[in-house]
C-alpha cells in the first residue's frame, strides 16, 4: 500500500497553537495544543493522526484545513504558504480542502433537504443545473445513498447514513484533500467498516490525499499509508503504517499498540504499558513530555526534550533512548 509521494500537496512547518482558558484558581492561562508541529501530506497519500484525547489532533486537523489560524508556523498548499495565496488560489485551496467531522449532523443544516446540502458546493462552483443533478446522483451513489433520500431532512437519518451524507457533500466540492476528524468513532462497529470501505473507495475513485484523525490505531492501519503519533501537542513518531505496527521506535507508540486488544508488541509481552492519566496540557512535564509515564525514563528524559530524528524508511521518532531500546537505525 505504501507509495512514494514526492510532491507534498499540503505541508506544515512549526505550527504552534495555544488557547486562552479560564482556570478557577489561576484566572486565565494559555494552553499549548500544538507545539512546533511539522508534517507533509504527499499527493495521493493517506496520513493518519493518532494519540490520546487532548493531544491536539483536532486542532491540527482544523489548522491544516484552514478552519483555524495557528499562532505561528506555516501551512503550505502545493508549496505556497496559504497566507500568500492570491484570491483565486485561496478559493481553490478552500474548495479543494474539505473536512469530514465526527458528527456530520453539526455541519448539516437541519432545515435543508440533504439533496440541497450535497448540491450546495455544486451551485457555488457555478455548475449548470443538469450537471448538478448528474453530480448529485453520482456522489449519492458513491456513498450508497438511494436517490429518494435527497428529499429528506438530516434528522430522518441514522448516524452512519449522516456520515455518508457528510462524505457526499465533501466530495461534491471536488476536493483533492480530505481531512476527516474521527469519521467513524461515533458509529457502531458494523457501520464503521462500511464507512471505512467508502473512504477507501473514495481514495481510489477520486484520487484524494487524506488526513484521517482517529484514536483507533487499527482503523488507521487499515486506511493509511503513514501514521503520525501525537503526545501533548507534539509529534513523537511518524512512519509507514505497517512499519509502525511491526517495529515502532517510541515507548508511547509501543504502549498504544500494546493497549489494542489482541495485539502485543514483542517487548510488552502482553503487559499493560500505559499507566496513569495523561498530564494536563496546562502543566506540561519538563524534558520529554512522556517521561512521567515512561517505564524507560532516564535522567536526560527529565531535563532535555528529545528532537524528532529521521531513521531510514521515512520513519522519525523523538526519544532519547530509541536506538538503545529498538535497535540502531
Ligand atoms: N476552543 C478551545 N478552547 C480552549 N481549549 C481548547 C479548545 N479546543 C481544544 N482545546 C484544548 O486543546 C487541547 C487539544 O485539543 P484537541 O481537541 O485538539 O485534542 P484532540 O486530540 O482532538 O482530543 P480528542 O481525542 O478528545 O478529540 C485539549 O487540551 C483541549 O482541551
Ligand atoms: S525520551 Fe525518555 S521518557 Fe521520553 S519516551 Fe524516550 S525513554 Fe521515554
Ligand atoms: Mg478531537
Amino acid at each position: 500500500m505504501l507509495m512514494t509521494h514526492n510532491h507534498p500537496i499540503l505541508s506544515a512547518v512549526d505550527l504552534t497553537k495555544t488557547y486562552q482558558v479560564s482556570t478557577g484558581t489561576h484566572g486565565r492561562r494559555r494552553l499549548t495544543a500544538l507545539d512546533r508541529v511539522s508534517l507533509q501530506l504527499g499527493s495521493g497519500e493517506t496520513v493518519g493522526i493518532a494519540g490520546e484525547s487532548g493531544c491536539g489532533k483536532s486542532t491540527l486537523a482544523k489548522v491544516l484545513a484552514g478552519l483555524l489560524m495557528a499562532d505561528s508556523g506555516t501551512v503550505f498548499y502545493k508549496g505556497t504558504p496559504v497566507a500568500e495565496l492570491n484570491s483565486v488560489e485561496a478559493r481553490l485551496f478552500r474548495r479543494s480542502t474539505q473536512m469530514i467531522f465526527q458528527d456530520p449532523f453539526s455541519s448539516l443544516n437541519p432545515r435543508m433537504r440533504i439533496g440541497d446540502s450535497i448540491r450546495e458546493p455544486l451551485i457555488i462552483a457555478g455548475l449548470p443545473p443538469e450537471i448538478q443533478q448528474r453530480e448529485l446522483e453520482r456522489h449519492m451513489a458513491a456513498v450508497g445513498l438511494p436517490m429518494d433520500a435527497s428529499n429528506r431532512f438530516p434528522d430522518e437519518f441514522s448516524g452512519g447514513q449522516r456520515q455518508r451524507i457528510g462524505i457526499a457533500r465533501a466530495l461534491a466540492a471536488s476536493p483533492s484533500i480530505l481531512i476527516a476528524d474521527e469519521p467513524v468513532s461515533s458509529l457502531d462497529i458494523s457501520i464503521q467498516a462500511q464507512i471505512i470501505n467508502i473512504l477507501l473507495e473514495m481514495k481510489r475513485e477520486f484520487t484524494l490525499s487524506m488526513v484521517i484523525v482517529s484514536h483507533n490505531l487499527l482503523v488507521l492501519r487499515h486506511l493509511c499509508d503513514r501514521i503520525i503519533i501525537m503526545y501533548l501537542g507534539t509529534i513523537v513518531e511518524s512512519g509507514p503504517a505497517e512499519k509502525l505496527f511491526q517495529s515502532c521506535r517510541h515507548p508511547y507508540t509501543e504502549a498504544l499498540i500494546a493497549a489494542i486488544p489482541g495485539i502485543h508488541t514483542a517487548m510488552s509481552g502482553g503487559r499493560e504499558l500505559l499507566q496513569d492519566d495523561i498530564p494536563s496540557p496546562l502543566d506540561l512535564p519538563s524534558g520529554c513530555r512522556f517521561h512521567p509515564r515512561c517505564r524507560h525514563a532516564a535522567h536526560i528524559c527529565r531535563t532535555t526534550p528529545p528532537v524528532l530524528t529521521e531513521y531510514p524508511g521515512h520513519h522519525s521518532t523523538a526519544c532519547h533512548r530509541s536506538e538503545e531500546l529498538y535497535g540502531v537505525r
Side-chain angles (χ1 to χ4, degrees):
M1 184 150 153
L2 183 69
M3 294 176 274
T4 308
H5 306 279
N6 290 326
H7 304 290
I9 186 164
L10 194 68
S11 54
V13 175
D14 279 343
L15 293 179
T16 293
K17 173 72 191 169
T18 61
Y19 295 107
Q20 183 92 254
V21 292
S22 352
T23 58
T25 40
H26 297 97
R28 291 178 80 71
R29 289 181 62 191
R30 287 229 155 253
L31 175 155
T32 303
L34 296 180
D35 190 0
R36 284 161 295 151
V37 168
S38 300
L39 58 85
Q40 294 197 333
L41 174 67
S43 186
E45 188 182 30
T46 300
V47 170
I49 301 177
E52 285 165 288
S53 185
C55 67
K57 304 180 298 294
S58 296
T59 301
L60 178 57
K62 284 186 215 148
V63 171
L64 291 174
L67 300 178
L68 196 63
M69 281 280 288
D71 300 0
S72 61
T74 312
V75 176
F76 296 84
Y77 174 59
K78 294 184 177 171
T80 305
V82 167
E84 290 173 24
L85 296 173
N86 65 35
S87 59
V88 175
E89 293 165 336
R91 214 174 309 129
L92 180 68
F93 169 68
R94 278 197 298 277
R95 199 177 147 202
S96 60
T97 307
Q98 293 292 314
M99 198 148 172
I100 296 173
F101 297 92
Q102 176 172 347
D103 174 16
F105 195 56
S106 56
S107 55
L108 290 169
N109 182 338
R111 285 182 295 279
M112 213 177 201
R113 292 178 200 279
I114 66 124
D116 293 334
S117 275
I118 298 170
R119 208 191 300 263
E120 203 171 38
L122 304 167
I123 297 171
I124 293 169
L127 296 177
E130 63 279 11
I131 299 197
Q132 286 174 26
Q133 185 60 25
R134 199 186 66 204
E135 287 295 285
L136 173 67
E137 287 170 17
R138 183 165 82 104
H139 294 309
M140 288 189 62
V143 299
L145 285 169
M147 240 347 253
D148 62 10
S150 67
N151 285 323
R152 288 154 55 194
F153 291 92
D155 65 359
E156 298 176 54
F157 293 89
S158 66
Q161 285 171 319
R162 281 181 203 155
Q163 196 51 288
R164 289 169 195 261
I165 299 166
I167 296 171
R169 183 178 150 87
L171 289 175
S174 300
S176 43
I177 302 166
L178 208 56
I179 298 180
D181 190 357
E182 303 278 6
V184 297
S185 60
S186 63
L187 307 174
D188 292 345
I189 295 285
S190 61
I191 312 290
Q192 286 191 10
Q194 293 171 13
I195 299 295
I196 287 168
N197 285 335
I198 288 173
L199 288 170
L200 281 171
E201 198 53 44
M202 299 300 95
K203 185 182 160 173
R204 275 192 287 271
E205 192 178 334
F206 298 90
T207 47
L208 292 166
S209 311
M210 299 204 279
V211 175
I212 300 180
V213 168
S214 177
H215 62 270
N216 186 334
L217 271 172
L218 287 182
V219 165
L220 296 183
R221 182 190 203 177
H222 196 59
L223 279 171
C224 300
D225 301 306
R226 194 154 53 89
I227 297 177
I228 289 172
I229 307 288
M230 291 186 69
Y231 190 72
L232 285 174
T234 62
I235 293 177
V236 296
E237 184 159 13
S238 157
E242 210 40 51
K243 198 164 180 193
L244 221 73
F245 271 85
Q246 300 305 335
S247 48
C248 65
R249 300 198 63 96
H250 195 286
Y252 181 56
T253 311
E254 189 186 356
L256 289 181
I257 293 173
I260 302 171
I263 294 195
H264 302 309
T265 57
M267 287 180 71
S268 76
R271 274 176 296 150
E272 170 71 61
L273 300 183
L274 207 50
Q275 276 137 19
D276 307 328
D277 289 338
I278 191 164
S280 162
L282 282 169
D283 200 8
L284 292 171
S286 61
C288 171
R289 289 175 188 183
F290 187 55
H291 90 252
R293 302 169 83 191
C294 183
R295 67 199 172 114
H296 303 295
H299 179 67
I300 187 176
C301 306
R302 299 182 183 93
T303 56
T304 313
V307 174
L308 198 61
T309 306
E310 178 92 31
Y311 287 83
H314 306 284
H315 195 169
S316 319
T317 191
C319 170
H320 291 301
R321 301 190 62 196
S322 186
E323 294 191 4
E324 196 185 328
L325 296 168
Y326 303 102
V328 182
R329 293 166 194 254

